[in-house]
Structures are given as C-alpha cells and as structure tokens.
C-alpha cells in the first residue's frame, strides 16, 4: 500500500509541479516560509497554517498537505544535513530501511536517498489529519472535473466544521453540477444536524443512505428538542425502509449472479441430457476443461489477460466440444438406450479427466487473471454497488442462452435435433443423418459447457475439482426446470440461485445449500417432470 | 420354481446359494484357523491387519449385495447407498463413542471429546440411549431404514424412477454429506467419530476382538445373502423383477408397484446399514466422507463388474475392486483413479453382464430367472 500511495503522491506532485515551473521561483520563498511555520508551530497552530497553505493558491499545496497528512513531509535537519540541502523540505517517497528516498518538495527534483537520521519529519496527529482531509476536499471542490468535485464532496460528509461550512455555502451557490450540489447540501445538512440541531436539515437528510448522515440523525434522536427528536426518528425510519429495499436488491443481484452461473453450467446439460437424453456425468469436467483453456490461453499471452479471455471463448468452446465428441464416439454411442450404463461410463470418464488434469497440470488450483475491464464495481447508490465481473457473467449467460435458443429454434441443426429426438426412425427415413445429428448436438452441449468454464474461471478457483462441484447442481437445475426445456433451465437456474441467496443470511451457506437440495428432492416428488414438463409426443420419449 | 417350499428355506435348495455359503464358510474358517494356529513367522500366518482388511472387504461385499438387490432385481440404480451405509456406521460409532466413557482425552464421563471441545454442556437428545448396545443395534437398522422409508415413499409414490431417481439419490447423499460436515449437527463434523476403545466389553485393539468382528461380518454377509435370495426367489421377488422390466405393465396387471419397490428398497437400506455398522469398529473411524457421491457410485461399479442380478457377482465384484484398490493405492496412488475410471467404462461397454456373465455353466443351473438385464429403464419411463 505504501508504495502505491507514494507513487500516487509522486504522480500528483509531478503533475502539479509541471505547469508551475515558470513562475515557481516567485512563490518558492512564500512556500518555504509557510512550510517552515508548519514545521515549527504547535499542533493547535498547524491546522491554521495548513489552511493558509491551501489558500495560497500554490498548485503544489495539495501534494504538500497530502504528504503532511501521511507523515511524509520532512525537512532536512539544518544542523546535520550538507550545506546545500539543509533546511530543504522534502517529500519522503519510500521510508523503508535506513536511508529514505526523498524528493524536493518545492522543485520536485529527485534527491536520492538520505539517511533517516538527517530528516526531521513534520509531526501530525489524527485530528490534524481529518482537518487536512477537509481542507483538501475544499481544494478539490474548485477543480474543473465534476467527478472529482463529486468525490471531494462525498469525502466532506461528516468532516465539516464551522469555517468550512461558510466556504461550502459559497461554493454551493456557484456549483453547477446537480449531483455535486446535492452532495454538498447533504454534507452541510449533516453539519447542521450535528452541531446546530437544525430541523430543516433533518428533512434534507431523510432520504440519504450515507452512514454519516445516519450517524448524525441517530445523535439527533437523543436531542432535547422533541420536534427535532421526532423528525430525526421519522427520517431514520424512512432511511431504514430505503436500506431494506437496497438490501433486497443486493440479494436479488447476488441471487441472479449465482443463478446465471448455474444456468451457464446447466444449459449444456439441458442440451445433452434434456434434449438428447444422454446422461453425461463428465459434463462437469467439460466445464473444467473450458476453465483450464482460459488459464492456458493466459499463459500463452502473458500480459494480455483481457485479450486471452476473449480468445478463450471460442477456444474453450472448441476444446470442450472436441472432448465431447471424443466421449460420444468412443463410449456413449455404444450405450444408446441404456441410460444407467451411460451414467456409469461417463462417470468413469470424469474420474479419468480429473486425474489427467491432476497429473499433467497440477493438483493445485491455477490462478486466472481478471482483466481490468472486468474488475471493480458500479455504484448504484451509497448502499448498493454491483461487482462488474458478476454483471458480465449475467450478461454472458443471457447471451449464451439466447444463442442456444436461436440455434434450437431457427436453424436447420435445431430442427434436425428435435426431429431425431422425437422420432429417430421417422427422422432417418426423411433423410436426416441421425448419427451426424447426434455428434453435432453433443458437440454443441459440450461446447457450451466449455463456455461455462471460461466464465467460471473468472469467479472461482480453477482446479481439478471445479467440475465436480457443479455437476450435481447442474443436474438439479435441469431436472427442476423440466427435461428438454431450455426455458425451464433458465427459470430454474435463476430461481434456485435466488432462493439460495435468500436463505443464506439466516441459514448460513452450507445449510442453505442443503435446504435447496432438500427442496428440489421434495419438489421432484411432487412434480416428477419439473417446472415445465414436456407435453405431447415428446414427453413419451 | 418350486413354490411349495417355505420362502425362507427355498434359498438353501439352490445350488448357487449352497456354493456361495460353502465358499464363504470355508474362507472364514481358513482365515480364522490360519490366524489362530500358525506361528507368527510362518508364511501361512494371517496377521490381524489382514484379518481386519478382509473383514472390511466383507462389509463392502454386504453393501454390494444390498445395492444389487435394488439395482439388479428392482431396476433402481441408487447412487446414494453410501448414505445408508454411513448412517448405520454413525449409529454404531455413537455407541462406540459412548463406550469410551471417561477414558477420552478430556475425561468427561458422558460427553464425547468433540462435544467437550465445542463447549457443549449436555448431550443432544438424539445421543441418548446410545450407551446401550441393544438400542444402538436397533438404530443401526432403524436409521437407514427410516430414511429409506420416507425417501422411498415420496419417490415411488410419485413414480420417480430411472435416471431421475439415480440423480436425486445422489443429491440425497450429497446433502447429507454437507450436513454431517457441520459441527452443529453433533456428529463430530469433519473429523467424524473415532478413537474407539471397546465393543460389548471387548477391547477393540486386541486380536481376538478383530477376529470376532471378522467372523461376525462373515455371518452377517451369509445372513444378508440368504435374505436377499429369499426375497428374489419369492413371489415378491418375481413381481419386483417384473417392475424392473416393465413397470407400467406390472402396474396395469394390478400389482402395487410402489409397495414392492418400497419394501425392497428399505430392506436393502437396512442391509447397507448393517454393513456400515460392522465396518466402523474394524476401520476405527466414521466420517462424512462415507457420504460422498463418489463412494456411492463406486459401490455400483463393484456390482456392475461382478454382474448385476446375481448377488454372488456383487460379492465377487466388491472383493476384486477393493483388493485392486488396496494394491494400487499402495504402489501407484495416482493411477488408482485412472484405473477406476477405466473400469467404469470397460465394464459398461464390454462386460455388461459382469464377471458372473462369464460363468455360464453356474448361471444356467442355478438361476432360472431370465438373463441378467442389460439395460435399465428408459430415461423418461
């Protein structure tokens, strides 16, 4: 962390000092004297001086104050330093070891390493730090970038004091961006509620999800003024309802994201098991192969995880589809019409594939890098943020689903698959090559498992047991949704994911999983053909 | 078949049962005698380690017979028989835990060590009674039997069969595994139950107790085998074979298919429970890994290798596979899963009738039943 922070400071300092160089000389004397005052005055005075530094209009002020707040602003001791360096203010870039890397605070020149004994750090304490944070936010409120202003305004909530409140009121009047204005208003309201018990400010806060706002309202409920007390309570209650909704939305999001993972894992099975009637217990291992393809692709393209991930989508499909065809040709075709034997044989294949990965690659988990554009999150509001990688997976699952739907409904292949599964003899007599259709269908289902693997590599560990963890869930989803029905798989996957997430808070992760399994077992007893049973001739299969 | 005989004595008139019981009796006798009589240095001496190992194989054989009863004669491929086995094992394990008394690490007279460790101050209600042997032995039958009864009642009533049943039995054992992994369940969590001291007053670590358990397992296997033979040669057995081959037709003929299925399923679960109960004192530990779906499906492959719907085939399969497992995991631990996986594929593709199918002479004379089925029911039947 400290390295990142120092780099950040370096960057800020560089950026700030570049355009200044021209007229820097004139300001340097004033800056030097301000910094000297900062170094030599008492804690009580330091805050004031920091404010002065901020007001001086010097572009470098931000860097100094940040360094000061982090305890990294130092002075080369006048008595001990060499003649030219003594008394200079420096920013410490790295404070590891005996010699610290420093940089001239005024010119931004790299001064190399200086023994820490020759450096005199300017002391700072916590109350000063928060004061400085406030001062820095005010500086940030004057920049041109609206996003930066918004971030600064957010940082101000709960940190406003009397002097700042005045300044903020001025800034708010001139503020053009609505979001920034609202946030500033909120920050001021928090100050007013906390310090002045302002009733109208309570109203401003009543919709806020900010924790500082809640803290302010909470303290207001202990006020002596009954009107204020009541208003604060009402405001808190309305916030609580709003929070509840947000929590519900969050659970729903997690549920959907888990559900879309289930859908991805199960949808290939919905083709091979649901449509073709082949029990492929090695389906999980086909998912695993897809995940390992992603890993292999990233090994081949070091430094470009994003590109590798995109390339893994077709590659994962291909690898798993080929593996699927190999399984179909070598084993499954000989066991046609004997589902229980197929189950056993493919289970054997799954054991072999797992062990193969263990022996050839490693029994340990491999790390798959998440590209930058997939990490991070979208903040909807203060209480709700959606992680990007899960959002991508939800989208990916939907795309795969729609793609499969189109293939089954609109293409020649889909038509032939449905024909062969409904009446093999009749389909063949109409000139459909049933064997070829079998291979294609199995390749499609297996390839989709590979796609699931590519997606899963972004959220779980890629290891030999990856597939095993999903096979029972996948079968549950297909059976729950109704065999031979892609819509059923979608609905079943999403709802099972959501149910699981709903149960988790009060039952714990393991118990929630058990409850879901028990629920499915009971459900199957009630409706043996799943949520959406097939009707008509296809049901006789 | 001659139905004039009593259903119970009928198995003894069969050639296959006579041969099976004879071989089993001889084997147990020989092992016991060699263990007791031969001096320790002799080449023919059977160590107590080997006795326990053979006892373990016999437990697996009984378990395989139980699976063959439902799979071979009822057409229900259970991928969850490990659950019944483990429940029987846990019932026995609870009895053995209570027998430890105050000799545990923490020396608590009633609470097992893991409960003391978890800071529990009293026994959970379901642990009461397990200090009495008779109660525990009844629970060995009752716990798996009740689970099978409830599960089977729900499943067969709504006509869940074929692959669906296989998958939900697998889900059942998976769910139980997750549940037993939880410490809050009160069954020792991850570590399970272990550190047993004695059974019925005999010290488990002595050679005599080990030999006694081995012989008891042999007797249990013989009794279990005869019970299964009695069932499959009775009228009930004929109906259950009819259910296997044409469930809908049997139902239309007026038989209550689900009752037949439920009865055979519960008997099979109880046999599995007994196998588990005999397994635990010999191995010295029971933990949730016995619930793992992999173990349950391994049992099925023993039966498949030995030959479905023969019962003695299940015994042969269980012993061969487990002997191979002992050898393989000793020499080439990594290769075992390859071998097991290959076994699954080879047996199903090339040896649908199993090893028993390679013994046509024996089969024709003894088994007047139609040939062993080569296929289960259709997926959606």
């Amino acid at each position: 962390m400290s390295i990142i922070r120092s780099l950040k400071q370096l960057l800020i300092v560089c950026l700030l000092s570049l355009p200044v160089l021209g007229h820097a000389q004139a300001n340097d004397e004033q800056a030097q004297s301000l910094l000297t005052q900062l170094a030599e005055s008492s804690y009580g005075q330091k805050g004031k001086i920091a404010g002065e530094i901020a007001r001086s209009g010097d572009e470098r002020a931000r860097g100094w104050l940040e360094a000061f707040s982090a305890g990294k602003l130092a002075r080369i001791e006048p008595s001990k330093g060499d003649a030219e360096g003594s008394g200079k203010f420096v920013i410490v870039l790295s404070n590891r070891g005996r010699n610290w890397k420093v940089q001239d605070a005024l010119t931004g020149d790299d001064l190399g390493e200086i023994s820490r004994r020759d450096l005199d750090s300017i002391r700072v304490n916590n109350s000063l730090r928060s004061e400085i944070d406030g001062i820095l936010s005010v500086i940030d409120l004057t920049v041109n970038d609206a996003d930066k202003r918004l971030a600064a305004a957010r940082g101000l909530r709960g940190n406003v004091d009397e002097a700042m409140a005045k300044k903020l009121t001025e800034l708010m009047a001139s503020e053009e961006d609505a979001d920034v204005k609202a946030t500033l208003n909120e920050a001021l309201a928090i100050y007013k509620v906390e310090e002045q018990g302002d009733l109208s400010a309570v109203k401003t806060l009543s919709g806020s999800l900010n924790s500082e706002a809640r803290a302010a309202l909470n303290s207001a409920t202990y006020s002596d003024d009954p009107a204020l007390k009541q208003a604060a309570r009402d405001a808190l209650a309305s916030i609580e309802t709003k929070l509840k909704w947000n929590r519900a939305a969050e659970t729903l999001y997690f549920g959907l994201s888990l559900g879309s993972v289930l859908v991805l894992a199960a949808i290939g099975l919905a083709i091979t098991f649901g449509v073709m009637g082949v029990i492929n217990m090695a389906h999980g291992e086909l998912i695993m192969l897809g995940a390992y393809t992603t890993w292999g692709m990233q090994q081949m393209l070091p430094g470009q995880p994003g590109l590798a991930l995109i390339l893994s989508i077709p590659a994962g499909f291909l690898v798993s589809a080929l593996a699927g065809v190999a399984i179909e040709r070598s084993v499954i075709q000989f066991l046609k019409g004997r589902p229980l034997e197929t189950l056993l044989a493919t289970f054997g294949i799954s054991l072999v594939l797992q062990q193969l990965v263990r022996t050839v690659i490693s029994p340990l988990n491999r790390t798959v890098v998440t590209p930058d554009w997939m990490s991070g999150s979208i903040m909807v509001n203060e209480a709700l943020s959606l992680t990007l990688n899960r959002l991508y997976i939800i989208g990916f699952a939907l795309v795969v689903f729609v793609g499969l739907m189109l293939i089954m409904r609109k293409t020649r292949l889909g038509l032939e698959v449905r024909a062969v599964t409904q009446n093999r003899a009749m389909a063949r007599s109409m000139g459909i090559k049933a064997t070829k259709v079998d291979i294609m269908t199995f390749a499609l289902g297996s390839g989709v498992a590979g796609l699931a693997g590519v997606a899963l590599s972004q959220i779980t560990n890629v290891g030999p047991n990856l597939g095993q963890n999903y096979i029972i869930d996948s079968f549950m989803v297909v059976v729950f949704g109704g065999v031979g029905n892609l819509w059923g798989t979608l609905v079943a996957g999403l709802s099972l994911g959501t149910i699981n997430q709903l149960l988790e808070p009060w039952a714990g992760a393991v118990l929630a999983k058990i409850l879901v399994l028990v629920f499915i077992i009971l459900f199957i007893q009630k409706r043996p053909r799943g949520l959406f049973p097939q009707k008509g001739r296809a049901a006789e299969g | 078949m001659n139905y004039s005989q009593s259903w119970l004595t009928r198995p003894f008139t069969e050639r296959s049962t006579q041969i099976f019981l004879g071989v089993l009796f001889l084997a147990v006798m020989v092992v016991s005698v060699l263990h007791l009589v031969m001096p320790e240095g002799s080449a023919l001496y059977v160590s107590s380690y080997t006795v326990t190992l053979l006892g373990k194989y016999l437990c697996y054989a009984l378990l395989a017979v139980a699976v063959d009863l439902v799979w071979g004669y009822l057409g229900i491929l259970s991928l969850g028989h490990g659950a019944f086995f483990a429940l029987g094992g846990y019932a026995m394990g609870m009895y053995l835990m209570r027998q430890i008394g105050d000799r545990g690490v923490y020396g608590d007279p009633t609470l097992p060590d893991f409960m003391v460790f978890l800071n529990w101050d009293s026994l959970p209600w379901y642990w009461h009674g397990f200090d009495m042997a008779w109660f525990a032995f009844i629970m060995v039958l009752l716990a798996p039997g009740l689970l099978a009864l409830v599960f089977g009642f729900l499943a067969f009533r709504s006509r869940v069969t074929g692959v669906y049943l296989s998958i939900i039995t697998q889900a059942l054992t998976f769910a139980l595994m997750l549940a037993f992994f939880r410490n809050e369940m009160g069954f020792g969590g991850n570590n399970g139950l272990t550190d047993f001291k004695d059974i019925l007053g005999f010290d488990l670590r002595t050679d005599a107790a080990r030999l006694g358990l081995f012989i008891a397992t042999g007797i249990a296997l013989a009794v279990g085998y005869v019970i299964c033979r009695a069932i499959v040669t009775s009228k009930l057995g004929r109906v259950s074979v009819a259910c296997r081959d044409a469930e809908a037709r049997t139902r239309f003929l007026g038989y209550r298919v689900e009752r037949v299925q439920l009865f055979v399923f519960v008997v099979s679960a109880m046999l599995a429970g007994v196998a588990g109960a005999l397994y635990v004192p010999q191995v010295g530990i029971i933990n949730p890994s016995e619930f793992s779906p992999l173990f349950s499906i391994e049992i099925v492959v023993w039966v498949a290798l030995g030959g479905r719907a023969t019962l003695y085939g299940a015994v042969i399969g269980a012993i061969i596979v487990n002997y191979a497992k002992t050898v393989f995991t000793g020499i080439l631990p990594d290769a075992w899963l390859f071998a097991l996986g290959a076994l699954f594929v080879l047996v199903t593709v090339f040896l649908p009738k199993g090893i028993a199918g390679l013994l046509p002479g024996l089969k024709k004379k003894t088994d007047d039943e139609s040939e062993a089925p080569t296929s289960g029911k259709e997926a959606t039947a």
Side-chain angles (χ1 to χ4, degrees), chain A residues 448-462:
Chain A
V448 172
L451 292 183
V454 175
L456 280 178
S457 73
Q458 292 303 311
I459 49 168
T460 51
N461 298 323
V462 177

Side-chain angles (χ1 to χ4, degrees), chain A residues 256-266 390 393 397 452 456 459 470:
Chain A
L256 286 182
S257 108
L258 179 68
S260 60
V261 168
L262 288 176
V263 168
L264 267 177
R390 296 195 168 261
I393 284 177
L456 280 178
I459 49 168
Y470 283 95

